[in-house]
Amino acid sequence: MRAKRPYIVLSFRTTVEAMAWEKHCEAEHIPGRLIPLPRELSAGCGLAWRMPPEDWSLWQSRIDPAAYDAAAVVEQ
């Protein structure tokens, strides 16, 4: 059995914020993808951006998650 790999998940309050984040990441060539989250785990809209933790410093240098009203959590 493969060990689970940790991921960082940014949860968004609105779909508009999630889609803006996705568009910006694609333009900046930042890895990750939008995933659905259960409402009880999400910040609001049920969408989150998932990325490997090793990419977090790349994100922080190019994008401010606070500008998109995103909450970060680590998923194992």
Side-chain angles (χ1 to χ4, degrees):
M1 178 190 284
R2 235 171 56 171
K4 283 191 171 186
R5 185 174 167 199
Y7 287 92
I8 293 175
V9 177
L10 299 176
S11 178
F12 299 92
R13 294 190 195 285
T14 69
T15 303
V16 171
E17 291 166 347
M19 301 310 261
W21 177 272
E22 180 181 48
K23 185 177 179 181
H24 189 89
C25 288
E26 286 175 357
E28 292 286 326
H29 305 288
I30 297 173
R33 65 185 176 108
L34 276 179
I35 61 168
L37 278 183
R39 287 251 181 235
E40 61 272 7
L41 298 178
S42 76
C45 76
L47 289 174
W49 187 263
R50 183 178 180 195
M51 68 180 151
E54 57 269 16
D55 293 331
W56 182 246
S57 61
L58 172 66
W59 286 45
Q60 288 180 311
S61 68
R62 294 190 187 172
I63 299 174
D64 178 13
Y68 293 88
D69 202 13
V73 297
V74 175
E75 175 190 83
Q76 298 251 14

